[in-house]
Amino acid sequence: MNAHILWHDIQHGLLHFDAGIPYSLKQLFTRPGHSIREFIEGKRVKHFKPLWLVAVLGALYGFL
């Protein structure tokens, strides 16, 4: 995967108004089972990709 695609995914996930990292984090903290079930069932429009979420949060943690 090239850097341009990675940067686009990060920007889209962070800056998208009704989805992305803030939505995924809120759902995982408030309704984790429901959120995971939705993602597995294919309702993925509002959710940030799980592996990218882990990577972005890990990078943020490392940066801090």
Side-chain angles (χ1 to χ4, degrees), residues 26-64:
K26 178 184 170 210
Q27 292 298 312
L28 286 173
F29 279 111
T30 58
R31 305 180 324 161
H34 182 73
S35 177
I36 293 168
R37 191 174 308 110
E38 273 187 341
F39 189 84
I40 291 172
E41 291 174 352
K43 300 174 186 173
R44 301 175 181 179
V45 173
K46 293 184 178 182
H47 295 281
F48 197 69
K49 298 173 187 172
L51 293 177
W52 285 115
L53 181 64
V54 170
V56 169
L57 292 177
L60 181 63
Y61 180 75
F63 179 73
L64 292 175

Side-chain angles (χ1 to χ4, degrees), residues 2-12:
N2 68 24
H4 177 66
I5 294 172
L6 175 64
W7 180 246
H8 180 267
D9 276 352
I10 291 172
Q11 281 182 328
H12 182 74

